[in-house]
């Protein structure tokens, strides 16, 4: 029991982080490798230069190139020795969208001219004489009607909306009785007007043998004809 109580009451406490973990070892290793690689490279270049034995014309051509560069620098004219050209900054007036402003202004002017021309044509245009007279009469009637509506006082019957009046509930039994009676009368009338089927007796007799039918009969089926004079 004491051991269980000790285990229950035990408080876990972590150990402090060791200082070796906080040291950036990976970065230091990478820096050492880079320094070693650079040192090996420089040593290799030095050894290569010590062992190289160039041809005699190598130094001669190299010196020629240097002498030619010096000579070209000495013979450069004074105009070419001036400092390089440096442009002035772009003025702010160039960046203003003048073209867009001009195009927009011309578009507005064009729309204004089109509207003025349309208005002029509308004023100058006229209907045919009969249609113009009809329009004038129509306008005059509309004005008179408007004036009469303003002068008259609205009464209950002049309103445009009228509530629907309720209808009386029909007597469905009487209605269906009438309809049934009419249907029965019509049915009896049609029965009396129709004619029944009259049966006809069957003709149970032998068909007549005509000469036309005898011609189509088989020679064996034809009856024997008596020969006269024997």
């Amino acid at each position: 029991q004491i051991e269980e109580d000790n285990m229950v009451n035990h408080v876990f406490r972590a150990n402090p982080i060791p200082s070796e973990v906080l040291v950036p070892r990976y970065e230091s290793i990478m820096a050492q490798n880079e320094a070693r690689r650079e040192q090996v490279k420089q040593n290799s270049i030095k050894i290569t230069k010590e062992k190289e034995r160039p041809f005699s014309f190598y130094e001669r051509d190299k010196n020629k190139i240097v002498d030619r560069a010096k000579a070209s620098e000495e013979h450069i004219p004074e105009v070419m020795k001036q400092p390089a050209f440096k442009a002035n900054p772009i003025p702010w007036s160039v960046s203003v969208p003048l073209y867009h402003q001009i195009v927009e202004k011309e578009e507005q002017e064009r729309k204004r001219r089109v509207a003025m021309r349309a208005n002029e044509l509308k004023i100058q245009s006229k209907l045919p004489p009969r249609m113009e007279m009809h329009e004038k009469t129509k306008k005059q009637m509309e004005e008179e009607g408007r004036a009469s509506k303003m002068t008259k006082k609205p009464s209950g019957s002049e309103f445009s909306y009228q509530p629907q009046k309720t209808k009386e509930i029909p007597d469905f039994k009487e209605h269906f009785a009438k309809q049934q009676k009419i249907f029965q009368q019509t049915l009896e009338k049609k029965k009396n007007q129709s004619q029944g089927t009259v049966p006809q007796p069957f003709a149970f007799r032998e068909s007549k043998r005509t000469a036309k039918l005898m011609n189509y009969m088989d020679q064996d089926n034809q009856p024997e004809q008596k020969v006269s004079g024997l």
Side-chain angles (χ1 to χ4, degrees):
Q1 184 68 27
I2 295 171
E3 290 180 358
E4 290 179 359
D5 293 340
N6 291 334
M7 291 177 65
V8 171
N9 296 327
H10 176 69
V11 179
F12 176 77
R13 293 181 180 178
N15 296 327
I17 299 172
S19 60
E20 293 81 2
V21 178
L22 303 176
V23 176
R25 293 185 177 181
Y26 178 76
E27 286 78 2
S28 61
I29 292 170
M30 294 300 293
Q32 291 176 6
N33 291 338
E34 186 65 26
R36 190 182 301 108
R37 192 180 299 107
E38 187 65 24
Q39 185 177 2
V40 171
K41 183 179 179 181
Q42 295 296 332
N43 292 335
S44 299
I45 293 171
K46 184 178 179 181
I47 292 170
T48 304
K49 286 185 177 182
E50 289 176 356
K51 290 183 179 181
E52 69 180 2
R53 296 291 185 272
F55 294 101
S56 59
F57 57 83
Y58 175 74
E59 293 294 336
R60 183 188 62 192
D61 295 342
K62 187 176 180 180
N63 294 331
K64 281 183 179 181
I65 293 170
V66 175
D67 295 339
R68 193 180 296 110
K70 290 181 179 179
S72 61
E73 290 180 359
E74 292 177 356
H75 294 288
I76 292 174
E78 295 295 331
V79 178
M80 297 182 65
K81 290 182 180 180
Q82 292 180 358
F85 172 77
K86 186 177 181 181
N88 295 327
I90 300 172
W92 65 270
S93 57
V94 177
S95 59
V96 176
L98 295 176
Y99 176 74
H100 296 287
Q101 292 179 1
I102 293 169
V103 172
E104 187 177 357
K105 186 176 180 181
E106 290 180 354
E107 185 67 19
Q108 292 178 358
E109 184 66 22
R110 189 183 68 81
K111 289 181 179 180
R112 187 182 65 82
R113 291 197 305 270
V114 170
M116 289 177 62
R117 180 59 179 168
N119 193 13
E120 290 177 0
L121 292 175
K122 185 178 180 181
I123 294 170
Q124 295 175 3
S125 62
K126 291 183 180 181
L127 292 170
R130 293 178 63 85
M131 294 181 68
E132 188 175 1
M133 184 175 63
H134 175 70
E135 290 293 331
K136 288 181 179 180
T137 308
K138 186 178 178 181
K139 289 181 180 179
Q140 186 177 0
M141 291 175 64
E142 289 178 356
E143 291 177 357
E144 290 177 358
R146 197 179 300 111
S148 62
K149 286 182 180 180
M150 292 176 66
T151 54
K152 288 183 179 180
K153 293 183 179 179
S155 60
S157 61
E158 293 179 357
F159 290 109
S160 60
Y161 174 75
Q162 295 292 336
Q164 187 177 3
K165 295 181 180 180
T166 57
K167 298 179 180 180
E168 295 181 359
I169 299 173
D171 188 0
F172 293 103
K173 291 183 179 180
E174 183 180 358
H175 175 72
F176 286 120
K178 289 181 180 180
Q179 293 294 330
Q180 184 67 21
K181 186 178 180 181
I182 294 169
F183 175 73
Q184 289 294 338
Q185 291 176 358
T186 308
L187 184 62
E188 292 295 333
K189 187 177 180 181
K190 287 185 177 181
K191 283 182 179 179
N192 296 329
Q193 290 178 356
S194 62
Q195 296 180 0
T197 304
V198 179
Q200 297 288 338
F202 294 99
F204 294 104
R205 61 179 178 273
E206 189 178 358
S207 61
K208 295 180 180 180
R209 296 183 179 182
T210 60
K212 188 176 182 180
L213 291 174
M214 295 296 291
N215 293 330
Y216 290 100
M217 293 177 65
D218 191 14
Q219 188 70 24
D220 297 336
N221 294 330
Q222 289 182 3
E224 295 181 357
Q225 297 179 359
K226 292 180 181 183
V227 179
S228 61
L230 290 177

